[in-house]
């Protein structure tokens, strides 16, 4: 196929991850090396930056800083949560996009994000096709949640999983120093899919992880939970480490996190799932319990990144550019794994944007034990290769040296 | 002075830190190398293990595992919170200690902990002197809080400070990706002394840290806080990062963390300081705010340790043994800094156990700005050398390889 000549634009969208910028580096560095790509623009705050003509000229960045992007967490160009309307209902944004694309001769559109961002990609691609504007659109996946459909796993998940498993091992050490133990309930991200919470089992596989794990894939049974807790509490001389997903729900669909306190004005106070369970455990079992939220570090702790994840995130960005130059459009980059001589290998595949947009992948029920309070070895085998190798931001004065981009606006 | 011949016992006490085991390695490895020390015992759960005759024979441990102790967080031998009675009031425990010391010919007692543990050391030392039992007692300091009196700084603080500053830099990246920012309030440990919360300014010194910092050393003024917040909120297009100590109090002495919700039964619910402030900020300013607790990772995140801290913690353990063998007793190891050719250097000093026990050191008021909402460069100069160099637990399958001790009980 003939090579399409023109400018490329790249945007970041949705919640940040530790490695979203590694994909950015993959796209930018690879695009800068293509003869047919005349300019490489970075959009400020994703699609919003395209609509507002806020483009950074990526050729003006120091190559050393672009390299540092690989180990700089969060979205260096700025992110956005913006849903494009259906073009049949309201085509204002699309007309504007076309205008901007024409003005800058944009022929390559790379967009990095999760479900919603792939929906944006899909809509942009379909509109450009409809109006006959030749432009190649490729999505680059990212999400710590690992819930994207059609791919073996997602860039961002491995580093989050590694931070979670590492932290749980450290917290296990911390929770076991006294002879009169206590209950520690750790809340991990994941509203509908339990991939991140399941990752805590990697710590258990090393003998220093949670005793009990509850995912949103299985309805949460409070009576059963208290039974589990009491059993482990007795067996472990008091020390119990529990991992729960923020999204666990009772059988009636209510979130455990909503099982909060009604304040004096009658308002329901949303506690975290872990805080609520710690309160319930303490009341019912009469034993000390604390809730701990791993919180936003899960998605930005680049100081404890997975080398496999950082490399694969870069590879996804690189592949997006190479595939687009080859002529592919309307796809999202995906991964499939193979085993060569027993060694894990991650290969690129292409997923139709229509297939990936808005679908959601959960932890298979058969990877969770029958009782619904632990995760099976199948998950350990799946996740172990994804946290392999250590990626760490280089330090200066003992602190991370993140990329410093110039972000020069293009005329 | 003649070398005292006999066995040594070492115990760990109080809350764990990332480097308490590095001091353990320092004591154990050094003691094993002394001719006059006939046996090296590790007490299980500190003083409780001595009272219960639960001793591990440290000579049976693999040297490689003892080395790994340097990068293994929390108390490998088990910790304890146990306050010895005044021996004039109740000498039961002391008689028992003497009995055990005699039985095992213990002539060296090394105890690793904070304020309370130095009190234990002091009491043991005084009692043994009173009854004429020849035994050298040396305390090894540890506390993430850095509030021990008479020492420039404390083993454990540097690693906690490094994790806090690193995390704040990463959270800063995370908090600044959207163009409509939000308020993030991070709660950091430290009930009475603000050393750890002040460390967040190291991130600010790199241009990626909190905009506002509140320590327990200054009474907290809610109206002033909301003013500060509003000002920064306007200046920063909405993104505000705030660091608060868990121990901040209003002028009347009430903890901000107590300013909680009264539930429907009329019970006061204790929120965290950050959660409460986020709620107040959201109500009063009508802008999105979230509270984040750094929580227990602050004291056990060995995956982000300070090399300076790990080395100094080891040095403190080593010095305890060497000083005791030299003939010193009734001291705690302390640090004083010097500057050679402008380079920071940490030197050992001896602090009388009577002086250190139960005293508390706070952040000097002159290191906090007049407004009480930020920390000055004097603190940055003080703390920067303490987080220098990266200490990281070696990994196996991408996860930390902590020390695995055999813990063989001595007969």
């Amino acid at each position: 196929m003939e090579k399409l000549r023109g400018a490329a634009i790249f945007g970041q969208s949705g919640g940040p991850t530790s490695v979203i910028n590694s994909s950015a580096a993959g796209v930018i560095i690879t695009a800068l090396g293509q003869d047919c790509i005349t300019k490489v623009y970075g959009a400020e705050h994703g699609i919003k930056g395209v609509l507002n003509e806020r483009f950074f000229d990526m050729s003006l960045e120091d190559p050393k800083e672009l390299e540092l992007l690989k180990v700089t967490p969060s979205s260096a160009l700025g992110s956005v949560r913006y849903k494009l309307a259906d073009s049949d209902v309201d085509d204002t944004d699309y007309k504007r996009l076309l205008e901007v694309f024409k003005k800058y001769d944009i022929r390559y559109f790379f967009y990095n994000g999760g479900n919603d961002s792939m929906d944006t990609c899909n809509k942009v691609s379909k509109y450009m096709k409809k109006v006959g504007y030749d432009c190649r659109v490729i999505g680059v996946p990212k999400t710590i949640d690992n819930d994207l459909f059609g791919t073996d796993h997602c860039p961002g998940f491995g580093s989050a999983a590694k931070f979670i498993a590492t932290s749980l091992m450290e917290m296990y050490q911390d929770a076991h120093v006294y002879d009169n133990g206590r209950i520690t309930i750790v809340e991990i991200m994941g509203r509908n899919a339990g991939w991140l919470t399941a990752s805590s089992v990697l710590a258990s596989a090393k003998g220093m992880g949670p005793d009990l794990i509850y995912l949103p894939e299985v309805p949460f049974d409070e009576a059963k939970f208290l039974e589990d807790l009491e059993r482990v509490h007795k067996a472990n001389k008091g020390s119990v480490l529990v991992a729960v997903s923020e999204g666990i729900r009772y059988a009636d669909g209510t979130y455990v996190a909503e099982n909060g306190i009604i304040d004096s004005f009658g308002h329901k106070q949303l506690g975290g799932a872990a805080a609520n369970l710690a309160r319930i455990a303490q009341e019912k079992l009469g034993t000390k319990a604390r809730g701990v939220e791993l919180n936003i570090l899960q998605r930005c702790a680049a100081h404890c990144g997975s080398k496999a994840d950082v490399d694969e995130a870069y590879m996804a960005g690189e592949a997006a550019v190479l595939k687009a130059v080859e002529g592919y459009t309307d796809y999202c980059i995906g991964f499939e794994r193979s085993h060569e001589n027993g060694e894990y290998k991650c290969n690129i595949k292409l997923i139709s944007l229509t297939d990936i947009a808005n679908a959601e992948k959960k932890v298979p029920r058969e990877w969770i034990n029958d009782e619904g309070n632990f995760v099976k070895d199948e998950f350990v085998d799946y996740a172990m290769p994804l946290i392999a190798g250590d990626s760490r931001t280089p330090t200066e004065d003992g602190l991370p040296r993140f990329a410093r981009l110039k972000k020069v606006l293009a005329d």
Side-chain angles (χ1 to χ4, degrees), chain A:
Chain A
M1 190 180 285
E2 196 198 349
K3 280 187 183 170
L4 181 63
R5 207 177 151 75
I9 191 148
F10 169 71
Q12 299 176 310
S13 173
T17 78
S18 283
V19 304
I20 184 167
N21 288 327
S22 186
S23 289
V27 168
I28 295 163
I29 294 170
T30 311
L32 286 170
Q34 304 301 312
D35 288 341
C36 59
I37 297 182
T38 50
K39 270 282 182 190
V40 182
Y41 298 117
E44 189 185 45
H45 298 298
I47 197 74
K48 233 177 178 174
V50 187
L51 291 166
N52 299 332
E53 262 181 82
R54 298 275 300 178
F55 296 173
F56 306 122
D57 183 341
M58 302 315 295
S59 70
L60 302 178
E61 299 295 343
D62 184 337
K64 192 189 127 216
E65 300 298 328
L66 291 179
E67 271 298 312
L68 278 173
L69 272 182
K70 291 183 187 171
V71 286
T72 300
S74 302
S75 316
L77 301 175
S79 190
V80 69
R81 291 191 189 278
Y82 185 83
K83 212 168 163 69
L84 286 176
D86 197 323
S87 68
D88 293 335
V89 178
D90 178 1
D91 64 356
T92 322
D93 281 347
Y94 297 89
K95 282 182 172 162
R96 172 68 182 145
L97 286 176
L98 181 61
E99 183 181 50
V100 174
F101 276 31
K102 281 182 175 168
K103 179 171 171 190
Y104 291 86
D105 190 30
I106 287 164
R107 299 292 169 179
Y108 294 93
F109 179 70
F110 303 110
Y111 209 53
N112 194 185
N115 275 325
D116 291 342
S117 313
M118 293 311 127
D119 181 59
T120 300
C121 270
N122 200 19
K123 284 172 172 165
V124 170
S125 176
K126 290 212 164 23
Y127 181 82
M128 295 301 164
K129 212 166 269 173
K130 197 174 83 180
V131 298
Y133 181 85
D134 199 2
C135 179
R136 302 203 181 135
V137 177
I138 303 273
V140 184
K142 73 89 214 155
T143 167
I144 57 164
D145 290 325
N146 204 38
D147 58 353
L148 275 187
F149 177 83
T151 180
D152 178 77
H153 60 281
C154 244
F157 170 66
S159 292
K162 187 184 182 101
F163 175 74
I164 289 164
T166 301
S167 301
L168 264 288
M169 285 179 74
E170 291 170 340
M171 285 160 74
Y172 177 95
Q173 298 284 105
D174 188 280
H176 284 76
V177 295
Y178 296 116
D179 56 353
N180 52 347
R182 64 151 126 181
I183 297 169
T184 305
I185 303 174
V186 184
E187 178 169 337
I188 298 169
M189 284 180 170
R191 203 77 180 153
N192 298 309
W195 297 99
L196 287 175
T197 306
S199 307
S200 65
V201 81
L202 299 172
S204 310
K206 292 285 173 191
M208 302 174 189
D211 306 289
L212 298 165
I213 302 172
Y214 300 92
L215 310 187
E217 279 80 359
V218 180
F220 187 77
D221 179 337
E222 195 171 296
K224 176 70 173 54
F225 163 72
L226 289 169
E227 260 177 55
D228 292 345
L229 211 55
E230 201 162 15
R231 181 174 37 78
V232 180
H233 190 255
K234 269 186 196 154
N236 286 8
K237 293 196 226 155
S239 291
V240 192
L241 190 59
V242 183
V244 299
S245 170
E246 60 174 342
I248 48 171
R249 279 175 290 261
Y250 295 107
D252 68 2
T254 330
Y255 284 99
V256 173
E258 281 171 354
N259 184 11
I261 296 151
I262 310 294
D263 72 11
S264 41
F265 305 99
H267 300 143
K268 200 180 244 181
Q269 297 292 330
L270 285 193
N276 285 338
L277 290 178
R279 195 169 45 80
I280 293 167
Q282 195 153 323
E283 273 169 23
K284 299 253 168 102
L285 301 182
T287 180
K288 254 193 164 178
R290 71 182 151 192
V292 174
E293 285 185 37
L294 277 193
N295 227 304
I296 44 181
L297 275 182
Q298 287 164 84
R299 63 179 189 217
C300 61
H303 71 268
C304 181
S306 152
K307 180 80 167 56
D309 188 27
V310 169
D311 290 348
E312 290 175 5
Y314 185 91
M315 185 172 79
E318 181 185 48
V321 175
L322 297 179
K323 290 295 178 189
V325 168
E326 275 181 47
Y328 292 95
T329 184
D330 214 15
Y331 285 105
C332 174
I333 299 297
F335 293 150
E336 63 191 354
R337 73 173 72 200
S338 65
H339 290 91
E340 287 176 12
N341 309 320
E343 289 282 291
Y344 160 88
K345 191 166 174 282
C346 178
N347 309 294
I348 294 292
K349 66 184 270 197
L350 291 173
I351 310 165
S352 143
L353 280 175
T354 314
D355 287 350
I356 201 171
N358 305 315
E360 201 176 41
K361 192 178 72 175
K362 301 197 175 185
V363 177
R365 182 61 184 87
E366 61 270 24
W367 288 8
I368 304 166
N369 71 350
D370 290 344
E371 291 202 77
N373 61 12
F374 210 69
V375 175
K376 292 204 238 173
D377 285 347
E378 283 89 334
F379 179 87
V380 176
D381 295 339
Y382 165 81
M384 251 338 171
L386 312 183
I387 66 160
D390 305 325
S391 166
R392 279 145 178 179
T393 313
T395 54
E396 231 175 48
D397 302 328
L399 291 173
R401 168 62 168 87
F402 295 135
R404 293 185 203 119
L405 299 185
K406 288 184 218 152
K407 296 194 184 178
V408 181
L409 281 174
D411 327 300

